[in-house]
Amino acid sequence: MKTPLLHDPSTPLRSGYTTGACAAAAAKGAALMLAHQITVREVTIELPAGISATFQLSGQTFGADTASCFVIKDAGDDPDVTNGAEVHATVSRQPGTPHGGAGRIVIEGGKGIGRITKPGLAIPPGEWAINPVPLRMIEEAVRVALSSLNLQPSTFNIIISIPDGEERSRKTLNARLGIIGGLSILGTTGIVRPVSAKAWTDTIDAALDVARACGCRTVVLSTGRTSEVAAQRWLGGTLPEEAYIMMGDHVAYALQACHMRSFNRPIIACQFAKLLKIACGHGNTHAAASELDIGQLLAWGREGGLSDLTLTTISAANTAREIAIASSFDPLLLELVFKHARCATATHAPETNTDFLIADYSGNCVFDTR
């Protein structure tokens, strides 16, 4: 999960590079050092985005049959858990390999790179968590480095590692997706766009694919960890771990992604403020102004016959959270907002019929529409 960076809005946000681009650059650097037996300080690689990028190398070592170096990942102004990670590559010529026939490049993960343990991802279970595009980038970068030499007929082993990758992975959803023991080597363009929603939506897609591959019949879409924990406690183990999807603020996207995978009765786990935003039709619950939502709630309350006490509470409140607490999570209020929320979710994904689990601010489930 990502958190927004605070920045001067007049200053453009800076893009960075994916772990896949960093791994390819490190692998090219190591291959060049192995081939030429000299220290290489920087390399330039072609990115899938159609541009070239130059990377500084660190930790260079080389010998007759092996060389290694690393690239420090720069994620730009994107709040990425891998920012600052050392992406290492070691390139070795396999001893005893005859210098003849077709060249072969074998790419594996090392320390801090995860293994796939669940179906549904781009890589089958049992393989290293190095996605197909980065895998091609690494191989192409190494072949370019060796192309002018007579070393191609040899077999070269490339090991990609991130020394603190396992520790960093604990801050991600990797374990739930079935990526165990470290991070993934990712990236389809080579470039990280700052504060982009794509990291979230890619994770939603991957999590839903895993849920489907594991046979889940429904999924729980959570707006945050507190709501997810409340849902897990409330449901008491009736759903497998793979059924819980952290969607963050991306309500419309998650519901549409559910429909594409035939999860047409999803459950949204959230707190009252997010429920109200969903009810007001916000496809992304991070964007809306709270005072506008509260004004809409007051209008609904008057139409829906809420008590004068509850209406007074709403009209005097500054936040949705304040309303929920002051009204002691009034069931009539929750039911009213839920009905509007279900209608709103149907506009995002017309074939779905969404249920809700509403959590209080102590981690307890206080409303269940199933």
Side-chain angles (χ1 to χ4, degrees):
M1 184 168 60
K2 294 188 174 184
T3 54
L5 289 176
L6 298 177
H7 68 281
D8 181 351
S10 66
T11 304
L13 290 172
R14 190 170 56 87
S15 296
Y17 297 104
T18 63
T19 49
C22 295
K28 182 176 182 179
L32 286 170
M33 289 192 294
L34 178 61
H36 296 280
Q37 294 292 291
I38 59 171
T39 298
V40 178
R41 303 192 182 281
E42 67 177 31
V43 296
T44 298
I45 64 170
E46 296 298 319
L47 302 178
I51 62 173
S52 61
T54 300
F55 295 81
Q56 301 301 310
L57 304 178
S58 301
Q60 299 97 322
T61 63
F62 61 87
D65 293 311
T66 187
S68 63
C69 61
F70 64 86
V71 169
I72 298 175
K73 180 180 174 181
D74 179 4
D77 289 325
D78 196 60
D80 192 303
V81 71
T82 60
N83 187 45
E86 296 180 1
V87 183
H88 289 243
T90 298
V91 178
S92 302
R93 183 164 50 189
Q94 188 171 315
T97 301
H99 289 259
R104 197 164 79 98
I105 291 176
V106 178
I107 303 168
E108 298 180 291
K111 182 178 175 60
I113 304 300
R115 285 268 197 183
I116 306 299
T117 63
K118 294 178 182 178
L121 297 174
I123 314 158
E127 298 294 325
W128 293 102
I130 305 176
N131 270 21
V133 171
L135 205 62
R136 290 196 298 272
M137 290 174 65
I138 295 166
E139 180 172 356
E140 289 170 5
V142 170
R143 290 197 182 280
V144 167
L146 303 176
S147 61
S148 63
L149 303 168
N150 294 322
L151 299 175
Q152 295 97 318
S154 300
T155 293
F156 291 89
N157 294 323
I158 299 142
I159 297 177
I160 305 299
S161 60
I162 300 176
D164 62 349
E166 185 168 9
E167 179 182 349
R168 288 175 183 265
S169 73
R170 297 190 186 105
K171 301 174 184 178
T172 73
L173 297 175
N174 278 12
R176 182 175 303 174
L177 296 176
I179 304 168
I180 303 301
L183 294 167
S184 305
I185 301 298
L186 301 172
T188 55
T189 66
I191 297 173
V192 174
R193 301 296 181 188
V195 199
S196 168
K198 193 173 188 305
W200 266 113
T201 56
D202 283 351
T203 300
I204 291 170
D205 285 332
L208 287 169
D209 286 339
V210 169
R212 183 174 60 176
C214 290
C216 296
R217 302 184 67 179
T218 191
V219 291
V220 179
L221 307 171
S222 301
T223 57
R225 181 59 179 155
T226 300
S227 300
E228 182 179 71
V229 170
Q232 289 171 329
R233 289 173 179 167
W234 181 257
L235 296 173
T238 58
L239 295 177
E241 178 187 45
E242 294 81 12
Y244 292 90
I245 314 295
M246 188 70 71
M247 71 170 176
D249 294 308
H250 301 281
V251 177
Y253 185 93
L255 289 171
Q256 291 158 9
C258 280
H259 173 58
M260 289 175 61
R261 294 161 177 84
S262 299
F263 292 122
N264 290 324
R265 192 73 187 257
I267 302 167
I268 291 179
C270 63
Q271 295 175 331
F272 180 74
K274 295 293 187 183
L275 176 68
L276 179 56
K277 288 182 183 293
I278 294 168
C280 288
H282 301 300
N284 186 307
T285 58
H286 187 266
S290 297
E291 59 269 22
L292 297 179
D293 295 339
I294 291 172
Q296 180 63 74
L297 176 61
L298 184 61
W300 287 339
R302 287 169 177 158
E303 294 171 3
L306 293 183
S307 68
D308 290 341
L309 178 60
T310 301
L311 292 175
T312 299
T313 298
I314 295 171
S315 62
N318 293 314
T319 66
R321 176 179 177 140
E322 182 182 348
I323 295 168
I325 294 173
S327 67
S328 299
F329 293 90
D330 179 1
L332 295 178
L333 172 64
L334 296 178
E335 181 71 25
L336 174 69
V337 180
F338 153 66
K339 288 179 179 178
H340 286 280
R342 175 169 275 180
C343 291
T345 57
T347 65
H348 301 312
E351 301 300 321
T352 61
N353 191 15
T354 307
D355 282 310
F356 287 82
L357 295 175
I358 308 305
D360 65 13
Y361 298 97
S362 299
N364 301 307
C365 190
V366 295
F367 192 71
D368 184 348
T369 70
R370 294 172 302 141

